[in-house]
Amino acid sequence: MGERIAIQHIIHQFAIKGKISNSVPFGSGHIHDTYRLFNDSPTAPDYLLQRFNHHVFPNPFQVQANIARVSQHILRKLQQTGRPQPERYCLQIIPCKDGTLCYRDPQQQYWRLFVFIPDCHSIDLVDTPEQAYTGAFAFGQFLSQLHDFPPASLHIILPDFNNVKARLAQLHSALQSPNALPDRLQQTAALCEEALSLAPTFVEMQNVYETGHIPQRVTHNDTKFNNLLLNRQGQGQCVIDLDTVMPGMVHYDFGDGIRTATGTAPEDEADLALVAVDQAKLAAYTEGYLDATHHLLQPIELHYLPLAGPLMTYLTGIRFLTDFLLGDPYYKTNFETHNLVRAENQLAFAKMLLAQQGVVQTIIKKYQQ
Ligand code: ADP
Ligand code: GN1
Ligand code: MG
């Protein structure tokens, strides 16, 4: 009830149309608190309200500034191609009445509002190769639409977000930290050792990126499959969750898609016997992504593409492991060992994807002929 009154107060700060009749918690993201706002007025849209997780994003205004610029760029591209109702295909921020892009409430919580994109859904687990293809094509188009947007002009929201060396350094420092929970250190000793032994395989690609040989692009950096809205026909409509749009390498985006679209189980499946790579989805994801991007990608990017899925899955695994050691300060968890289960799952899946690089390689070759 207190929450309802608070939400009315928050909504009042924004330049909305119509009258909001109801708000309900929405979605399955790990980071923000999300609400759908229903509009009484038939001529005004519903909205999506989010309470920022400002522990994760210490500068919400910079996040909003990046999203506004990137969305504007995509909207212009959509207008140029003559797409009807282009605003349904990209995020639209609703500013506050004073023009700012998010609202800081008296309790120092940050809020933002988007137009709710209707008749769409997101999916946590991909069912079919066709779905994998469609999603990959949409994420690939996102990269392509932004290929002429200057990466260096974006705010660096979370430095080293997908830098595996930095994530390994965080794991090492968690292992030494006085905040690490002793029983969890014990519980994960073997898993940590195994994870650290895999590090050299992944560090090389990050090093090549840092030397400048792999080009810097505008990347989404969190292309988890459920960060795509699909329409009723199951086609990709809008890439969402643009908080981490920053300079990066294509492998971050392609890799996180592989991580989340090509497995047989969710990232928190505890029974590892159910975790496997679905080769048909792996091939389809690769085809969808390359159909949208092959005209842009350089030979060195294609060369490292097979390692992208294993890289992002490994990186996610060590992030979950680090969070578990430190008592779960970062990710939302639903039970005591949630982050441990996620870490075991992702590290196992990373190894499986490593063994399946040939599937991606075979598809890439078709685009090189
Ligand atoms: P988180 O960072 O917590 O994952 P997201 O930005 O991904 O937050 O949003 C959470 C959920 O809200 C998404 O999975 C999606 O279902 C839904 N969503 C986000 N933006 C919109 C939008 N503009 N229109 C409709 N649904 C949206
Ligand atoms: C988080 O926000 P969400 O749920 O889309 C995380 C990603 C992780 C993912 C793991 C800002 O994504 O980096 O890969 O969880 N986002 C942030 O499921 O840390
Ligand atoms: Mg999300």
Side-chain angles (χ1 to χ4, degrees), residues 259-278:
R259 177 180 83 79
T260 53
T262 71
T264 52
E267 69 182 11
D268 62 353
E269 172 57 61
D271 182 355
L272 296 186
L274 300 178
V275 177
V277 178
D278 180 326

Side-chain angles (χ1 to χ4, degrees), residues 168 195-205 207 307 314:
L168 281 161
L196 293 173
S197 74
L198 285 170
T201 312
F202 301 111
V203 164
E204 184 210 330
M205 199 195 311
N207 282 337
L307 200 53
Y314 173 76

